Amino acid sequence: MANSANEIKRVVSRAITDARKEIGGIPEPPSQAKLKWPIQCTVGPGLEGAIACESQVGFVNGSQGSLVYRGYDVLELCGHSTFEEVSYLLIHGRLPTEKQLRKFERKLADFRRIPATMRLLMGFPVEKMNAMSAIRLGTNMMRQEFTHLDEMEAKRDLETAISTDEDSIPMEVPPLGEEHAIYEFRKGKIARTAKSEKAMAEAAGIASAAHLVAGTATITAAVARIREGLLPLEPDPELSHAGNYLYMMTGRRPTAAEERIMDIALILHADHGMNASTFASLVVASTLSDMYMSISSGIAALNGPLHGGANERVIQMLEEIGGPEKVRAWYKKQKAEGKKIPGFGHRVYKRYDPRARILGPIAKHLTGRSAGAKRLLETAQELEKVVIGDLGPEKGIYPNVDFYSGLVYSCLGIPSFLFTPTFAVSRVAGWTARVLEYMKNNRIFRPRAIYTGRTNKHYVPVEGRKS
Ligand code: ACO
């Protein structure tokens, strides 16, 4: 393990320089003019190509292979920023002043302590649960700790919600758009008490975003410890968000280098366009559910192996291959069986994923000192060469963020069952930022399905049915 944060800084700035050399010649797309809804676009299966909303949170430039948060290149943020600052940037829309940053850091430090959630979580068989579902459970308990919503029957006045129920509208006609269909978490009458109104507002706003950013790390670290038969740890107010995450998970204060690597990994995963988990969060928010419910949907969507679950499968794959000399034969067999290679390909990037450009060199730096890890890295590097050689320019298949993140996490001592949860610890910043943005102009999501079944069948009583 590298023992100096300066060494990491050097590795990252070299990776940034190399990345810029390769990205540099590719032209920027023109910035988008404001859309006039409704818009025409070509939609493929899985809503590919569909435009869900406008956003200023972040931009994935798939043809260039670059990623921008609120106008700032993620590579530059990796070189200079921290996860706390990036979270502020995503949620508030601008970089904080020094005073604002210190205040936000104090707020996160405060929100990192979630004793009521911990007490409730310990009552569940967390050690037997899938880590992502335990974290979902934890974030729902945070909702209760922060808002007491579960104790209340605070329901929105139906009058304000009725026109969001688009099933009551004959939808199988082209959508026309509703002029007044703007719904916010906080808008409309809230039945019951002032206390419940305050709770609903808290569950919807910036405070709950910061609460979730801070608390998801605490819950994830606790889940890791409980699964190992250990008691959860209180956060250390002296440590950063990344440092606390590692400390609460391992019980050991990380070195400055480990803390910085974790910080960079969190920055790199914080937001990524209209991906499946972000979209899931927005869909739930759009029904006027609350921030906690929305984020728990994001966690559920991230769990799948086509999304956040790929990095765990990458390590399993590298172990299964067994060494760089076995890569070609292994790949040939996978290809013949029509199998996809975990950690490669992306719906948007048709070039090298910029996040992998940083994580690859960090993995290389970290794995140098352990023979086992070095062999995994060499296997990964050989696989990268073979896959790009076969599918790179022709099909736009290159390593994605998950290809090297697992190796980096392993070197930081993060067990593989926590790889996807660690992704959630970071992405919660992007999910909350985008939910807050979407809710300013909310319209319930309601795409259509084309019904291709029959409509003229007649009911046959069970005893008369043939198998
Ligand atoms: N290995 C080999 N071939 C691939 C891969 C891959 N990993 N990914 C795509 N392809 C090929 C497909 O076979 C297909 O080939 P064809 O045109 O001959 O049929 C072509 O590239 C297009 O593939 P699609 O599956 O249509 O691409 P899509 O955009 O739908 O999928 C996805 C993107 C899901 C990420 C896909 O590349 C994949 O399954 N990758 C492996 C899993 C993975 O790494 N997921 C993490 C993604 S990053 C993230 O979510 C954080």
Side-chain angles (χ1 to χ4, degrees):
M1 166 56 68
N3 50 15
S4 137
N6 279 337
E7 241 176 280
I8 299 305
K9 206 173 170 163
R10 274 195 293 277
V11 171
V12 172
S13 33
R14 242 192 331 268
I16 294 172
T17 311
D18 290 348
R20 288 209 173 118
K21 264 188 228 149
E22 290 192 37
I23 298 170
I26 304 159
E28 282 280 337
S31 52
Q32 300 286 324
K34 192 146 174 58
L35 293 178
K36 187 154 167 29
W37 298 85
I39 48 167
Q40 302 271 350
C41 60
T42 305
V43 179
L47 292 184
E48 184 169 359
I51 296 171
C53 57
E54 292 166 66
S55 175
Q56 301 204 339
V57 174
F59 174 55
V60 185
N61 185 338
S63 54
Q64 190 185 52
S66 68
L67 173 63
V68 163
Y69 298 164
R70 298 278 189 191
Y72 300 92
D73 187 333
V74 76
L75 299 180
E76 201 167 325
L77 294 171
C78 278
H80 305 287
S81 190
T82 62
F83 178 69
E84 287 87 330
E85 190 177 53
V86 166
S87 300
Y88 185 101
L89 171 69
L90 289 169
I91 292 169
H92 290 264
R94 58 183 185 279
L95 282 173
T97 60
E98 167 126 39
K99 197 168 157 206
Q100 287 166 335
L101 180 59
R102 299 296 158 244
K103 192 170 164 204
F104 187 66
E105 286 169 346
R106 279 197 301 278
K107 187 185 268 187
L108 292 184
D110 191 24
F111 283 160
R112 221 168 268 134
R113 286 193 70 256
I114 41 174
T117 296
M118 284 301 157
R119 223 171 28 247
L120 287 169
L121 197 62
M122 298 288 284
F124 283 81
V126 168
E127 66 285 358
K128 294 189 188 138
M129 292 172 74
N130 165 291
M132 290 291 270
S133 49
I135 294 158
R136 269 188 94 195
L137 181 67
T139 52
N140 279 332
M141 287 162 174
M142 280 177 66
R143 171 179 185 265
Q144 172 62 5
E145 176 168 357
F146 199 51
T147 66
H148 302 281
L149 273 175
D150 289 338
E151 283 162 20
M152 299 171 192
E153 292 170 58
K155 290 263 183 254
R156 265 149 211 288
D157 189 326
L158 260 190
E159 260 177 50
T160 64
I162 197 77
S163 65
T164 67
D165 175 14
E166 299 198 7
D167 278 328
S168 61
I169 301 168
M171 265 309 289
E172 304 314 315
V173 291
L176 298 171
E178 264 187 83
E179 273 184 24
H180 302 293
I182 306 293
Y183 308 104
E184 294 176 28
F185 281 144
R186 288 189 228 186
K187 256 198 188 151
K189 278 181 244 157
I190 300 196
R192 322 278 176 199
T193 61
K195 195 176 163 202
S196 67
E197 184 160 359
K198 186 166 173 274
M200 291 293 274
E202 277 173 345
I206 285 184
S208 60
H211 191 226
L212 278 157
V213 167
T216 306
T218 308
I219 291 170
T220 306
V223 167
R225 289 184 72 80
I226 296 169
R227 281 175 60 123
E228 311 265 320
L230 300 166
L231 284 171
L233 291 175
E234 288 267 309
D236 180 339
E238 300 294 311
L239 291 173
S240 67
H241 192 71
N244 255 307
Y245 180 51
L246 289 172
Y247 165 70
M248 288 188 286
M249 186 195 308
T250 62
R252 178 178 66 78
R253 275 173 158 255
T255 64
E258 288 168 329
E259 189 173 10
R260 184 62 190 142
I261 292 167
M262 189 71 246
D263 202 23
I264 288 169
L266 293 178
I267 292 172
L268 285 173
H269 288 83
D271 184 67
H272 207 251
M274 195 47 57
N275 56 80
S277 57
T278 299
F279 186 51
S281 299
L282 292 189
V283 169
V284 172
S286 80
T287 69
L288 298 187
S289 190
D290 60 54
M291 183 71 90
Y292 294 81
M293 296 286 193
S294 306
I295 287 345
S296 120
S297 312
I299 294 171
L302 188 65
N303 184 47
L306 293 188
H307 194 5
N311 52 8
E312 199 175 336
R313 289 178 62 216
V314 168
I315 297 292
Q316 286 162 3
M317 167 186 75
L318 296 176
E319 284 167 353
E320 180 197 310
I321 295 173
E325 68 286 355
K326 299 182 183 160
V327 162
R328 280 182 192 277
W330 180 89
Y331 177 70
K332 205 170 155 194
K333 187 160 176 282
Q334 295 296 112
K335 194 173 175 186
E337 291 171 8
K339 290 189 182 152
K340 285 186 183 169
I341 315 298
F344 285 88
H346 199 277
R347 176 60 64 82
V348 185
Y349 292 121
K350 297 305 165 203
R351 302 183 65 84
Y352 211 104
D353 185 330
R355 302 164 298 174
R357 287 187 190 277
I358 300 287
L359 291 170
I362 293 181
K364 186 171 174 211
H365 184 76
L366 291 179
T367 49
R369 292 169 205 193
S370 139
K374 197 165 173 220
R375 195 158 164 78
L376 286 184
L377 178 82
E378 284 164 0
T379 310
Q381 287 173 324
E382 180 62 16
L383 184 61
E384 176 180 330
K385 224 185 291 167
V386 170
V387 176
I388 293 180
D390 190 34
L391 302 172
E394 189 200 331
K395 282 199 188 281
I397 304 290
Y398 292 90
N400 61 46
V401 67
D402 284 332
F403 191 57
Y404 287 109
S405 64
L407 276 172
V408 171
Y409 292 155
S410 299
C411 292
L412 289 178
I414 300 177
S416 60
F417 75 83
L418 270 200
F419 290 176
T420 310
T422 300
F423 195 154
V425 165
S426 165
R427 185 55 58 84
V428 66
W431 290 330
T432 52
R434 284 180 185 263
V435 165
L436 288 169
E437 180 187 58
Y438 188 76
M439 294 314 290
K440 287 185 189 151
N441 229 345
N442 181 40
R443 181 157 164 79
I444 188 169
F445 281 103
R446 182 41 165 106
R448 299 163 61 202
I450 304 288
Y451 181 68
T452 57
R454 285 175 51 191
T455 54
N456 54 356
K457 290 188 182 178
H458 290 289
Y459 184 81
V460 179
V462 69
E463 58 277 12
R465 290 176 211 159
K466 299 194 182 100
S467 57

